[in-house]
Amino acid sequence: MRKITKIDIVTRPNKLEELKEAMNHIGVQGMTVSQVYGCGLQKGHTEVYRGREYNINLLPGVKLEIVVCEVPVELVVETAQKVLKTGKVGDGKIFLYNVENAVRIRTGVEGSEAIMDEK
Amino acid sequence: MRKITKIDIVTRPNKLEELKEAMNHIGVQGMTVSQVYGCGLQKGHTEVYRGREYNINLLPGVKLEIVVCEVPVELVVETAQKVLKTGKVGDGKIFLYNVENAVRIRTGVEGSEAIMDEK
Amino acid sequence: MRKITKIDIVTRPNKLEELKEAMNHIGVQGMTVSQVYGCGLQKGHTEVYRGREYNINLLPGVKLEIVVCEVPVELVVETAQKVLKTGKVGDGKIFLYNVENAVRIRTGVEGSEAIMDEK
Amino acid sequence: MKGWINMKKTWSILCLTLLCMLFAIPAALAADPAEAAKIDTGDTAWVLMSAALVFIMTPGLGFFYGGMVRSKNVLTTIMQSFFIVAMISVEWVILGYAMTFGTDINGFIGSLAKVGLTGVGMNILDNGTIPELAFVAFQCMFAVITPALITGAFAERMRFAAFTVFILLWAIFIYNPMAHWVWGGGFLAQLGALDFAGGLVIHILSGVSGLTICILLGKRHGYGKLPMLPHHLPMTVLGATLLWFGWFGFNAGSALGANALAANAFVTSQSAAASATVAWVLIEWIHNGKPTILGAASGCIAGLVAITPAAGFVAPMPSVIIGLVAGVVCYTAVAVVKAKLSYDDSLDAFGVHGIGGTWGAIATGLWATKEVNPAGADGLFYGSSDLIVAQLISIVVAYALAIIGSFVLFKLVSAFMQVRVDESEEVSGLDIVEHGERGYAQSIMTGSPVIGSAEDAAMAMQAFSIDSDPVSK
Amino acid sequence: MKGWINMKKTWSILCLTLLCMLFAIPAALAADPAEAAKIDTGDTAWVLMSAALVFIMTPGLGFFYGGMVRSKNVLTTIMQSFFIVAMISVEWVILGYAMTFGTDINGFIGSLAKVGLTGVGMNILDNGTIPELAFVAFQCMFAVITPALITGAFAERMRFAAFTVFILLWAIFIYNPMAHWVWGGGFLAQLGALDFAGGLVIHILSGVSGLTICILLGKRHGYGKLPMLPHHLPMTVLGATLLWFGWFGFNAGSALGANALAANAFVTSQSAAASATVAWVLIEWIHNGKPTILGAASGCIAGLVAITPAAGFVAPMPSVIIGLVAGVVCYTAVAVVKAKLSYDDSLDAFGVHGIGGTWGAIATGLWATKEVNPAGADGLFYGSSDLIVAQLISIVVAYALAIIGSFVLFKLVSAFMQVRVDESEEVSGLDIVEHGERGYAQSIMTGSPVIGSAEDAAMAMQAFSIDSDPVSK
Amino acid sequence: MKGWINMKKTWSILCLTLLCMLFAIPAALAADPAEAAKIDTGDTAWVLMSAALVFIMTPGLGFFYGGMVRSKNVLTTIMQSFFIVAMISVEWVILGYAMTFGTDINGFIGSLAKVGLTGVGMNILDNGTIPELAFVAFQCMFAVITPALITGAFAERMRFAAFTVFILLWAIFIYNPMAHWVWGGGFLAQLGALDFAGGLVIHILSGVSGLTICILLGKRHGYGKLPMLPHHLPMTVLGATLLWFGWFGFNAGSALGANALAANAFVTSQSAAASATVAWVLIEWIHNGKPTILGAASGCIAGLVAITPAAGFVAPMPSVIIGLVAGVVCYTAVAVVKAKLSYDDSLDAFGVHGIGGTWGAIATGLWATKEVNPAGADGLFYGSSDLIVAQLISIVVAYALAIIGSFVLFKLVSAFMQVRVDESEEVSGLDIVEHGERGYAQSIMTGSPVIGSAEDAAMAMQAFSIDSDPVSK
Ligand SMILES: Nc1ncnc2c1ncn2[C@@H]1O[C@H](COP(=O)(O)OP(=O)(O)O)[C@@H](O)[C@H]1O
Ligand SMILES: Nc1ncnc2c1ncn2[C@@H]1O[C@H](COP(=O)(O)OP(=O)(O)O)[C@@H](O)[C@H]1O
Ligand SMILES: Nc1ncnc2c1ncn2[C@@H]1O[C@H](COP(=O)(O)OP(=O)(O)O)[C@@H](O)[C@H]1O
């Protein structure tokens, strides 16, 4: 079985649409997106309620989980960087994990084919 | 320490209840569920606002994270497939990962016992 | 490359603020938080709508994903336990995973430095 | 698509009819300024205001119902009420007012002489102190809310096209005649039945029709197995608030003047709504262990429904009892009986309006008194049994009309178009499937515009290609 | 469970009393149609409408407060206001109106001759131009909103059972007497104190009672450490909108007629609300660097509170000043003083109603003029100091009554039942714990029905077993 | 910060002016109780109630618009409407009423004799049956809603400081004169133009000003590329409901009495709103394949806008046609023309109010008839062409004033402060950036208080240090 990798990309929400298109463009077949709150070097903001200030340091973000096999991991990482890099703090992180196996529920197919384009 | 595996199941939201029951049935002690938006082969839908059409291709889904040790991974995968398979595009995916360690916060117990039934 | 580890902590939502502060205190540079629903030994609650009772057994929780390299994993786990342990069912779990690589999008730096403090 | 083609036919006919009528416009104006002197400004102010109050009830009902469905159907549910406001208002000024309040023909229906409000002009209302147009407006709002009440019974599964056709037919062939029978000088009025603001005409009619339709339509997919919880209870409370608020116009406005009778109807409405709320909350506190806000919101509606036919005939203390009983009876209907009989009246249109309206019509026969309203009658507890008999007959008539009428119209509509959405559509939710909209847009869940100026699209594409070129090499 | 048993006792007694009274119904009707000729329809229309407007304020308050709490307590908070509408309306028609507006006994309380509205019938109001029942309805809404205002002070931590008992006692033993003293011909009226629409009776009384209770109850768990942010500001703005809207009925309706005095009260209400909003937003813009919508919503309420006692006694320009000062003073009370003194008045019932009401009562003593209202008096700026003295005395009386009365009632209730939820319940949120409901159902977070027809459950089980059989082998 | 400093200056001047005027207070009271006898209570009740109804339209508009923006801008959008209510009400009682309804100076502006409502007192309205203050209140609400309508055009990108200054200037220098020209006895009134409730003065003026500003301000970042979907459609429907509800006061209240004319305006409003809703929904059903709730909500507003100038001049059947055409025309403007011309009128202030108002002003010239309103004129279809000419001239004047006036004021404001937020601020959302608030607080997304009593902070710190000590060792 070929190596399968999960790529987690945590980034700004407003980049989601563009990133999604870029990923489709390089042949990524699918992805799973979730809404997260991030905390890192990026400074939060201040909110005011009835004269009391609150420092909010959990910032809204999105996490994309992309499992790939055929599409080279480097290409995904490079493309993501290309789209997401603004050079300002808060651009986010990419984490890579090893996937032991994958199954496509609809067909029951396992391994790399579970996430490959069906011909 | 026995091998611990995390099983990520991404599927349609309306199957959650049934899947949860099926998992309890085969002895899965716990799980963590989150709301995700998926993008894959499944076609999205069109929305219309003031005469302008939008193509929404992020579809609501659920992700179940189930960490198992005693319960065989195959049983979980098979049961999930049984419950979730409709044969239509969008049934979702199952991904398996290796877990290095697990801790039950309440007791501090580590390893396989952290997720096993307490007797 | 030094070993990078992802620590997933699933716990009660009302502990988030305290846990976040404790983590900053021991030098954790960042984390990604998401809202999850958990199901485990902890009993759910009953809801009533127009005379019909429903048993809700998915309880709101939070999941923190913390990727560390410099900061010792044990310190994170211990600190988390310290803050989160109430001794009552539902305190949650900690899971550890191996991370193959990490990238800081802003700088393109890879590996352990992607998540380390920038000096 | 098939449904749509059928729709198109139906609508073409309607539009044609409409246009035809519009040629008759100048004739519609036959004001008699001489009479205008008799208008009482205070009464007019109150009736106009009441019309506005009753107006807000129907969108309010949309929120009441909308909060109780699952989030995937919130817009469909609100839309049903909101669109009814529009569709039936047009029907009313063109046709409905004439059918209901035109010169009586054999106690059965109004003559069509007033089609398109012909001859209404600036006239004063017969035997009234207000402009006839104020009465047209006030009654329009009643004609609007009645079919909207039904929508609670078939929520979350009816196609919008079939819905519009069914409701339009229902308004014309069921509501207008019934309103004529009771309020337009028809045979039930002659029989001596009392219905101050619409227990028979509005609540029994809509509640029982709802029950009929929901049985014919079948249960929602997964009903009884999957949980179907209200997705937004504050919205439901908002709806209940607007309903309660508007109901003051509904009941006290039905006095058609700003007088002691209106004040009496106002007070009885408030005390019945209040006591029914207390009763419903207490009974479920005892029965289920928790006092719920959905119970409070349901309770006030049950009380208001029950007092509707009685508001201008009974004194305040009986209204407290009517409310208490309404709370307990409707709770039982909704929480016990419905579960036993296992029909899927999604949002309890029958349990609250059908049952509450029936109780109210009976209660009017028990506690009505000429001391409150000399134009009324004395009920059983005030020494006469004539009234209660008339009330019971009217209830039977209303049930019969609602069941038979709705059955026939439902079958008729089914013959021409698909009435219920497909199972997969029901799972996806009707908001997306039927209206192409979502109630709440998650900031995360976006989409790219597919229509728009061609340039926009080209720009968007280009913008991306340039960026991505080096990558794809 | 313990609380519930106590509840049951309390309620049984109440219900019994209620039933007893209902036997007296026929006697309750003693209409005198001869007098009915004197009713002015315009005045009646305005008072009825005003009653409806004041009605919507209380649910509106529920939304105003509901948006400010954390989402786990939204229903509890809305429910408190909504249930008060029901409970106090019943109390009012049965007992409250008699206590407040029955024949005065020694300047202290009304005789109970009018219990159950006995003798009100279709009468015209003494010295009025409207049906007495219209006045009953209008005043009912005042009796309702006053205790609801208090709930902001103890939000997010009081048990529902204790809440209902406390509020009922408070309405009977604190509100009714105070309203009698000022409006029912009691000793404060005799003293010459002016309170057009309820600065003393409503705002000071509720605000100060709120302060008392919130101190007795203690702070919310984590107060000052954990952030407690409003979970839904649009809901709060909706509430503020309904309050502002209803306040026109509150203030201008208090003229009890549609005349120049009502118009004056209408304009002064609008200009005070508006200028207080501007003032609050500006002061926080300067002080915190941002103009907030919560500030705008709070500001308009502060202005409306302050103008309430003065609306029918002062001219428009002074109302602008009253509003400006109200905005600044209440902001300071809420943002500076509260933080210093560190009591947990969750939603600032005292800071806005207590302080705003006090300022309004004083301002009435400064700017009242007989040119606006010949039945009023001239204030300090119009050459007389009698009024301001009467105002100050009344304020002291209101504070004393609120503090002592609330203290005693709180202790009384505490002796019989648990008043505050347990810490773990507070953490879980009161919606689930007390009412078994959630405000917003996440589509993801579902549940399986545990009650329902036995067949349903069996079917559900079976459905699954069949499926899963091969799996478990 | 720079903006703030400019703001401070502007406001200081304003506040000073305000204070100066307040010294003139006693003079403001010149009531003439002798005349008070002529007040008609019914008319007064209706006008006061109508003022309350029009009041609720502006916050309603805030919700209508607020639901349509992205969630990060919901508060900013609602705040714009809400703050306008406050700011313009103050402006109106101090300055606006005098400018608009003071003694006419050369057909161009009112004399400033009535500044601060001087001399209004308890007077009866000239040639009216209501207190002048009731008229002040009613007209205040019109002055408030007009600038609020504009905000839809520049939503999601204007700075709050610049917004307040611009709107204040616009109200003073554009709205007040125009209202004087049409309603205050100015030159357009003398020309014979008819504008029952504000097609020219309100809808054309605001819609066209909106268009001007949105072009000057530029498109939202990403417009046409990124999807900008409504985040909360039920909120938009709530807004539409409040607008429709309030519009009865707007149109029928403009009769300034409770009479047949008011009833006519009430009915025509309802039928135009209803038919426009039906038309909009049908046309998009055909054009896009789905009937949407946003279409229904937009349609009713389009119909109400179009009937506004005509409501008291045309009969009910023409109002149905006016509504149908309004639905189709405004849909086309919004869905086809806007996309073609590619300006970013975020929430279609121009498409609905500008276009709808223009159609309504023309329609008045077509269907007006003296049979409905003897004080009006006969339109083209009733045999005279004078009116339509006067209408067309007035439309041109309104367009010219709106375009030139808004252009000049925009440039003026731009010269002193930053009008548009920075791109990064636009991406973050204006709620956080401008107001430091979020519409909906996720329970998960919390924060620690940074201001508060020093002890609190110390305690919090300590609490943690003790716990964490062993860990950090
Ligand atoms: N150690 C970490 N573990 C998990 N997530 C992290 C970690 N560090 C950062 N993140 C995520 O990445 C986001 C961006 O990180 P931040 O430090 O603010 O900026 P940058 O990546 O530009 O240095 C954070 O909001 C958080 O969601
Ligand atoms: N490569 C992938 N990485 C991560 N998640 C994926 C991937 N492919 C699919 N998914 C998830 O699985 C869901 C279903 O996939 P889809 O391709 O639509 O249908 P099917 O699994 O039936 O072929 C998607 O909505 C997405 O959430
Ligand atoms: N096997 C598992 N896989 C994934 N998540 C789990 C698992 N077991 C428990 N969890 C998560 O941990 C939370 C707490 O677990 P629970 O069994 O209720 O209490 P405790 O950890 O105190 O024994 C659950 O709500 C769930 O989110």
Side-chain angles (χ1 to χ4, degrees), chain A residues 10 38-42 90-93, chain C residues 30-32 65 67 104 106:
Chain A
V10 181
C39 158
L41 302 178
Q42 196 185 359
D91 279 352
K93 302 271 190 290
Chain C
M31 66 190 78
T32 299
E65 296 172 73
V67 177
R104 188 192 298 270
R106 174 163 46 86

Side-chain angles (χ1 to χ4, degrees), chain A residues 10 36-42 59 88-93 95, chain C residues 28-33 65-68 104-106 115 118:
Chain A
V10 181
V36 297
Y37 297 92
C39 158
L41 302 178
Q42 196 185 359
L59 294 164
K88 288 188 219 128
V89 172
D91 279 352
K93 302 271 190 290
F95 301 118
Chain C
V28 168
Q29 290 302 318
M31 66 190 78
T32 299
V33 183
E65 296 172 73
I66 302 176
V67 177
V68 291
R104 188 192 298 270
I105 295 170
R106 174 163 46 86
I115 50 165
E118 295 170 298

Side-chain angles (χ1 to χ4, degrees), chain D residues 14 29 38 55 87 91 94 109 126 255 338 370 385 396:
Chain D
L14 245 133
L29 293 161
K38 284 194 254 160
F55 161 79
M87 184 171 65
E91 181 271 329
I94 292 178
I109 196 73
D126 286 352
K338 187 174 82 161
K370 288 190 178 172
S385 62
V396 172

Side-chain angles (χ1 to χ4, degrees), chain E residues 296-373:
Chain E
S298 310
C300 72
I301 304 303
L304 288 162
V305 166
I307 200 65
T308 295
F313 299 116
V314 305
M317 281 306 106
S319 76
V320 173
I321 309 179
I322 292 174
L324 287 175
V325 174
V328 174
V329 167
C330 292
Y331 173 80
T332 312
V334 157
V336 183
V337 178
K338 188 174 80 162
K340 283 258 164 59
L341 300 185
S342 144
Y343 52 87
D344 181 12
D345 177 1
S346 324
L347 312 175
D348 295 311
F350 177 69
V352 173
H353 298 278
I355 298 296
T358 308
W359 160 240
I362 295 171
T364 308
L366 301 177
W367 280 286
T369 164
K370 287 190 175 171
E371 289 185 52
V372 167
N373 191 341

